[in-house]
């Protein structure tokens, strides 16, 4: 039976993975995530261990994604975007949707 890679994966690692894939730079990724570079490096190591792939290789121009990392990013990025949209759109206040009287109380 194949290993279930989803059941024991921290979804925060996927967010880090997507940003690393977009930036191809540890410093820029850490700035976007509002964490330190060592935290991004540790997250990348956890991702490497989890997926059994190097995912990103250091080059003179930053990080180069492996073929497996490109395949994962292509599959995961749209899902993460949809998840973000679903979670963030439910918190929007639209006064046009209010019906009936509004009571204000002041002390």
């Amino acid at each position: 039976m194949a290993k279930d890679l989803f059941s024991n994966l921290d979804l925060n690692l996927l967010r880090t993975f997507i940003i690393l894939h977009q930036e191809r730079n540890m410093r820029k990724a850490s700035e976007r995530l509002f964490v330190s570079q060592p935290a991004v490096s540790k997250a990348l190591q956890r991702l490497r261990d989890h997926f059994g792939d190097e995912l990103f290789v250091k080059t003179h121009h930053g990080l180069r994604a492996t073929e497996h990392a490109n395949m994962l990013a292509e599959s995961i990025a749209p899902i993460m975007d949809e998840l973000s949209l679903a979670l963030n759109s439910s918190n929007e206040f639209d006064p046009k949707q209010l019906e009936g009287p509004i009571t204000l109380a002041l002390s």
Side-chain angles (χ1 to χ4, degrees):
M1 185 171 178
K3 180 181 173 183
D4 183 4
L5 293 174
F6 181 75
S7 65
N8 61 349
L9 177 65
D10 180 353
L11 294 181
N12 290 313
L13 291 176
L14 290 182
R15 185 168 176 257
T16 302
F17 169 75
I18 293 299
I19 290 176
L20 265 174
H21 192 267
Q22 292 169 348
E23 295 294 340
R24 308 291 171 104
N25 182 294
M26 288 277 199
R27 181 187 53 78
K28 289 180 181 178
S30 69
E31 288 173 359
R32 279 186 59 190
L33 291 163
F34 301 105
V35 298
S36 66
Q37 287 183 32
V40 173
S41 182
K42 185 175 180 178
L44 177 56
Q45 188 55 53
R46 289 178 61 200
L47 284 162
R48 287 172 169 161
D49 293 342
H50 184 81
F51 289 111
D53 188 82
E54 200 61 24
L55 299 176
F56 299 97
V57 180
K58 290 182 183 179
T59 68
H60 288 68
H61 305 290
L63 297 173
R64 179 182 54 80
T66 65
E67 193 62 38
H68 186 65
N70 287 329
M71 181 195 70
L72 279 172
E74 187 178 311
S75 299
I76 294 170
I79 296 167
M80 294 295 283
D81 289 341
E82 286 182 37
L83 182 59
S84 175
L85 182 63
L87 292 174
N88 291 327
S89 67
S90 64
N91 292 332
E92 292 179 9
F93 173 70
D94 185 5
K96 293 178 188 172
Q97 294 180 349
L98 294 177
E99 296 178 8
I102 298 174
T103 305
L104 297 175
L106 300 172
S107 60

